[in-house]
Amino acid sequence: MRILRLTLGAILFVGGIVLTLLPGSILLVVSGLVLLSYDWPRARGWLKFSQKAMTLSAHKLDRFLLMRKLR
């Protein structure tokens, strides 16, 4: 089970990195990191970093759209 989880996580992560220009590819990266984080502690750090970055960018986008709408 561990080998399957690591293999699938690596495929999803690399596939998401390769497809960075397509919308939705970040979901592949995050799902790959989730699978890898079970067995690889370094992936947990990357997952936390990517979650913080996505949260921050969502807040910035919300703020930008709200200010644009109020003008």
Side-chain angles (χ1 to χ4, degrees), residues 14 22-23 48 57 71:
V14 171
L22 297 177
K48 287 179 185 179
S57 65
R71 284 188 217 176

Side-chain angles (χ1 to χ4, degrees), residues 18 23-24 26 31 44 62 64:
V18 168
I26 191 68
S31 60
R44 261 182 241 128
D62 286 344
F64 173 76

Side-chain angles (χ1 to χ4, degrees), residues 40-70:
W40 198 29
R42 194 169 202 175
R44 261 182 241 128
W46 292 346
L47 182 62
K48 287 179 185 179
F49 175 77
S50 65
Q51 287 173 335
K52 283 182 187 178
M54 289 189 316
T55 302
L56 182 63
S57 65
H59 286 297
K60 284 183 180 181
L61 183 63
D62 286 344
R63 221 175 302 127
F64 173 76
L65 292 176
L66 181 63
M67 289 299 159
R68 184 175 164 204
K69 197 175 194 179
L70 291 177

